[in-house]
Amino acid sequence: MPEYLISACLCGICCRYDSGCFDYPVLAKLVAEGRALPFCPEQAGGLPTPRVPCEICDGKVIRRDGIDCTAEYTRGAYAALKACRHYGITAAILKESSPSCGVNSIYDGTHTGRKIPGEGLTAALLRQNGVSLYTEKDLPPL
Ligand code: SF4
């Protein structure tokens, strides 16, 4: 059974808004060993890849073109929580600064590349439900 839920884009799955991903061999190894479940809340919430980027603004998740995507982001967050509960997962390794996965920082809602302290919707929901959160910059002892 997996011990960690992990942002899918951190282990080579190209699910980012721009169809990109990151390559952290240590995290891909966790997945290959069955110790981590790769999960993309935005895809799970029904959003396509590629997709128009969103940022959190006044508690809502707003696309760069002004469309409110809070419902999709919320759906993805609850899907992540459901996956954690299904597998008994109590820790997650999440991509910093994402409007879903950001643990310590998010973009400021102006789509100008500025970051502020804050957390994404999935990170917030998992934390509120007792899941320990780590990031690609702050890995747990593996
Ligand atoms: Fe990666 Fe999370 Fe964004 Fe999906 S929602 S692309 S897992 S940071």
Side-chain angles (χ1 to χ4, degrees):
M1 292 288 248
E3 302 158 47
Y4 300 98
L5 184 120
I6 184 167
S7 293
C9 62
L10 292 178
C11 42
I13 297 172
C14 294
C15 53
R16 271 170 52 91
Y17 73 93
D18 59 359
S19 300
C21 58
F22 304 93
D23 181 22
Y24 289 92
V26 66
L27 300 182
K29 183 166 174 275
L30 272 188
V31 174
E33 292 171 347
R35 294 180 59 202
L37 175 72
F39 194 92
C40 176
E42 292 172 20
Q43 288 192 335
L47 294 169
T49 301
R51 53 190 173 274
V52 180
C54 288
E55 295 188 4
I56 297 174
C57 186
D58 294 332
K60 294 183 176 177
V61 188
I62 306 296
R63 243 168 53 172
R64 190 169 54 198
D65 59 5
I67 301 294
D68 186 341
C69 292
T70 308
E72 289 88 344
Y73 277 69
T74 302
R75 195 181 307 138
Y78 277 94
L81 178 60
K82 186 176 179 183
C84 286
R85 286 182 169 157
H86 178 79
Y87 288 106
I89 291 172
T90 58
I93 304 170
L94 300 177
K95 173 70 184 76
E96 192 58 279
S97 305
S98 152
S100 291
C101 296
V103 172
N104 302 295
S105 69
I106 53 173
Y107 289 94
D108 71 355
T110 63
H111 292 276
T112 55
R114 281 199 300 265
K115 293 181 186 178
I116 55 174
E119 57 190 352
L121 269 63
T122 294
L125 185 66
L126 295 185
R127 184 183 53 74
Q128 288 159 15
N129 283 274
V131 177
S132 301
L133 301 183
Y134 301 89
T135 77
E136 77 279 16
K137 299 170 183 166
D138 170 32
L139 295 174
L142 296 171

Coordinates of all heavy atoms in Angstrom, one line a residue, residues 93-132:
I93 N 3.5 14.5 -0.5 CA 4.6 15.3 -1.0 C 4.0 16.1 -2.2 O 3.7 15.5 -3.2 CB 5.8 14.4 -1.5 CG1 6.2 13.5 -0.3 CG2 6.9 15.3 -2.0 CD1 7.2 12.4 -0.7
L94 N 3.9 17.4 -2.0 CA 3.2 18.2 -3.0 C 4.1 19.3 -3.6 O 5.0 19.8 -3.0 CB 2.0 18.9 -2.3 CG 1.0 17.9 -1.6 CD1 -0.1 18.7 -0.9 CD2 0.4 16.9 -2.7
K95 N 3.7 19.7 -4.8 CA 4.4 20.7 -5.6 C 4.2 22.1 -5.0 O 3.0 22.6 -5.0 CB 4.0 20.6 -7.1 CG 4.6 21.7 -7.9 CD 6.1 21.5 -8.1 CE 6.7 22.7 -8.9 NZ 6.8 23.9 -8.1
E96 N 5.2 22.7 -4.6 CA 5.1 24.0 -4.0 C 4.6 25.1 -5.0 O 4.9 25.0 -6.2 CB 6.5 24.5 -3.4 CG 6.5 25.7 -2.6 CD 5.6 25.5 -1.3 OE1 4.4 25.6 -1.4 OE2 6.2 25.2 -0.3
S97 N 3.8 26.0 -4.5 CA 3.3 27.2 -5.2 C 2.1 26.9 -6.1 O 1.6 27.9 -6.6 CB 4.4 27.9 -5.9 OG 5.5 28.2 -5.1
S98 N 1.7 25.7 -6.3 CA 0.5 25.4 -7.1 C -0.8 25.9 -6.4 O -0.9 25.7 -5.2 CB 0.5 23.9 -7.4 OG -0.9 23.5 -7.6
P99 N -1.8 26.3 -7.2 CA -3.0 26.7 -6.5 C -3.8 25.4 -6.0 O -4.7 25.6 -5.2 CB -3.8 27.3 -7.7 CG -3.2 26.9 -8.9 CD -1.7 26.6 -8.6
S100 N -3.4 24.2 -6.4 CA -3.9 23.0 -5.8 C -2.9 22.5 -4.7 O -3.3 22.2 -3.6 CB -4.1 21.9 -6.8 OG -5.1 22.2 -7.7
C101 N -1.7 22.3 -5.1 CA -0.7 21.6 -4.3 C 0.2 22.4 -3.4 O 0.9 21.9 -2.6 CB 0.1 20.7 -5.2 SG -0.8 19.4 -6.1
G102 N 0.3 23.7 -3.6 CA 1.2 24.6 -2.8 C 1.0 24.4 -1.3 O -0.1 24.4 -0.8
V103 N 2.1 24.2 -0.6 CA 2.1 23.9 0.8 C 2.4 25.2 1.6 O 1.7 25.5 2.6 CB 3.0 22.8 1.2 CG1 3.2 22.6 2.7 CG2 2.6 21.5 0.5
N104 N 3.4 25.9 1.2 CA 3.8 27.1 1.9 C 3.6 28.4 1.1 O 3.6 29.5 1.7 CB 5.3 27.0 2.3 CG 5.6 25.8 3.1 OD1 5.1 25.7 4.2 ND2 6.3 24.9 2.5
S105 N 3.5 28.3 -0.2 CA 3.4 29.5 -1.0 C 2.5 29.3 -2.2 O 2.3 28.1 -2.6 CB 4.8 30.0 -1.5 OG 5.3 29.1 -2.4
I106 N 1.9 30.3 -2.6 CA 1.0 30.3 -3.9 C 1.3 31.6 -4.6 O 1.9 32.5 -4.1 CB -0.5 30.3 -3.5 CG1 -0.8 31.4 -2.6 CG2 -0.8 28.9 -3.0 CD1 -2.3 31.5 -2.3
Y107 N 0.9 31.7 -5.9 CA 1.0 32.9 -6.6 C -0.1 33.8 -6.1 O -1.1 33.4 -5.6 CB 0.9 32.6 -8.1 CG 2.2 32.0 -8.6 CD1 2.3 30.6 -8.7 CD2 3.3 32.7 -8.9 CE1 3.5 29.9 -9.1 CE2 4.5 32.1 -9.3 CZ 4.6 30.7 -9.4 OH 5.7 30.1 -9.8
D108 N 0.2 35.1 -6.3 CA -0.6 36.1 -5.6 C -2.0 36.5 -6.2 O -2.7 37.4 -5.7 CB 0.2 37.4 -5.3 CG 0.4 38.2 -6.6 OD1 0.0 37.7 -7.7 OD2 1.0 39.3 -6.5
G109 N -2.3 35.8 -7.3 CA -3.6 36.1 -7.9 C -3.6 37.1 -9.0 O -4.6 37.4 -9.7
T110 N -2.5 37.7 -9.3 CA -2.4 38.8 -10.3 C -1.8 38.2 -11.6 O -1.7 39.0 -12.6 CB -1.5 39.9 -9.8 OG1 -0.2 39.4 -9.6 CG2 -2.1 40.5 -8.5
H111 N -1.4 37.0 -11.6 CA -0.8 36.4 -12.8 C 0.5 37.1 -13.3 O 0.7 37.3 -14.5 CB -1.8 36.2 -14.0 CG -2.9 35.2 -13.6 ND1 -2.7 33.8 -13.9 CD2 -4.1 35.3 -13.1 CE1 -3.8 33.2 -13.5 NE2 -4.6 34.1 -13.0
T112 N 1.2 37.6 -12.3 CA 2.4 38.4 -12.7 C 3.7 37.7 -12.1 O 4.8 38.2 -12.2 CB 2.4 39.8 -12.1 OG1 2.1 39.7 -10.7 CG2 1.3 40.6 -12.7
G113 N 3.5 36.4 -11.6 CA 4.7 35.7 -11.2 C 5.1 35.9 -9.8 O 6.1 35.4 -9.3
R114 N 4.3 36.8 -9.1 CA 4.7 37.0 -7.7 C 4.1 36.0 -6.7 O 2.9 35.6 -6.9 CB 4.2 38.4 -7.2 CG 5.0 39.6 -7.7 CD 4.7 40.8 -6.9 NE 3.3 41.2 -7.0 CZ 2.9 42.2 -7.9 NH1 3.8 42.7 -8.7 NH2 1.7 42.5 -8.0
K115 N 4.9 35.6 -5.8 CA 4.4 34.5 -4.8 C 4.2 35.2 -3.4 O 4.8 36.2 -3.1 CB 5.5 33.4 -4.6 CG 5.6 32.6 -5.9 CD 6.7 31.5 -5.7 CE 7.0 30.8 -6.9 NZ 8.0 29.7 -6.8
I116 N 3.2 34.6 -2.7 CA 2.9 35.0 -1.4 C 2.8 33.8 -0.5 O 2.6 32.7 -1.0 CB 1.6 35.8 -1.3 CG1 0.4 35.0 -2.0 CG2 1.7 37.2 -2.0 CD1 -0.9 35.6 -1.8
P117 N 2.9 34.0 0.8 CA 2.6 32.8 1.7 C 1.2 32.3 1.5 O 0.3 33.2 1.4 CB 2.8 33.4 3.1 CG 3.7 34.6 2.9 CD 3.3 35.2 1.6
G118 N 1.0 31.0 1.5 CA -0.4 30.5 1.4 C -0.3 29.1 0.9 O 0.7 28.5 0.8
E119 N -1.5 28.5 0.8 CA -1.6 27.1 0.4 C -2.7 26.8 -0.6 O -3.7 27.6 -0.7 CB -1.8 26.2 1.6 CG -3.0 26.5 2.4 CD -3.1 25.7 3.7 OE1 -2.2 24.9 4.0 OE2 -4.0 26.0 4.5
G120 N -2.4 25.8 -1.5 CA -3.4 25.5 -2.5 C -4.6 24.7 -1.8 O -4.6 24.3 -0.7
L121 N -5.7 24.6 -2.6 CA -6.9 24.0 -2.1 C -6.7 22.5 -1.6 O -7.2 22.1 -0.6 CB -8.0 24.0 -3.1 CG -8.9 25.3 -3.1 CD1 -8.1 26.5 -3.4 CD2 -10.0 25.2 -4.1
T122 N -6.0 21.8 -2.4 CA -5.7 20.4 -2.0 C -4.9 20.3 -0.8 O -5.2 19.5 0.2 CB -5.1 19.6 -3.2 OG1 -6.1 19.5 -4.2 CG2 -4.7 18.2 -2.7
A123 N -3.8 21.1 -0.7 CA -2.9 21.1 0.4 C -3.7 21.5 1.7 O -3.6 20.8 2.7 CB -1.8 22.0 0.2
A124 N -4.6 22.5 1.6 CA -5.3 22.9 2.7 C -6.3 21.8 3.2 O -6.4 21.6 4.4 CB -6.1 24.2 2.4
L125 N -7.0 21.2 2.3 CA -7.9 20.2 2.7 C -7.2 19.0 3.3 O -7.7 18.4 4.4 CB -8.8 19.7 1.5 CG -9.9 18.8 1.9 CD1 -11.0 19.5 2.7 CD2 -10.6 18.2 0.6
L126 N -6.1 18.6 2.8 CA -5.4 17.4 3.3 C -4.9 17.8 4.7 O -5.0 17.0 5.7 CB -4.2 17.0 2.4 CG -4.6 16.4 1.0 CD1 -3.4 16.0 0.3 CD2 -5.6 15.3 1.1
R127 N -4.3 19.0 4.8 CA -3.8 19.4 6.1 C -4.9 19.4 7.2 O -4.7 19.0 8.3 CB -3.1 20.8 6.0 CG -2.4 21.2 7.3 CD -1.8 22.6 7.2 NE -2.8 23.6 6.7 CZ -3.8 24.1 7.3 NH1 -4.0 23.8 8.6 NH2 -4.6 25.0 6.8
Q128 N -6.0 20.0 6.8 CA -7.1 20.1 7.8 C -7.6 18.7 8.2 O -8.3 18.5 9.2 CB -8.3 20.8 7.1 CG -8.1 22.3 6.9 CD -9.0 22.9 5.9 OE1 -9.9 22.3 5.4 NE2 -8.6 24.1 5.4
N129 N -7.3 17.7 7.4 CA -7.8 16.3 7.7 C -6.6 15.4 8.2 O -6.7 14.2 8.2 CB -8.5 15.7 6.5 CG -9.9 16.2 6.3 OD1 -10.8 15.7 6.9 ND2 -10.0 17.3 5.5
G130 N -5.6 16.1 8.7 CA -4.5 15.4 9.4 C -3.4 14.8 8.6 O -2.6 14.0 9.1
V131 N -3.4 15.1 7.3 CA -2.3 14.6 6.4 C -1.1 15.4 6.6 O -1.2 16.7 6.5 CB -2.8 14.5 5.0 CG1 -1.6 14.0 4.1 CG2 -4.0 13.6 4.8
S132 N 0.1 14.8 6.9 CA 1.3 15.6 7.0 C 1.8 16.0 5.6 O 1.8 15.2 4.7 CB 2.4 14.7 7.6 OG 2.0 14.3 8.9

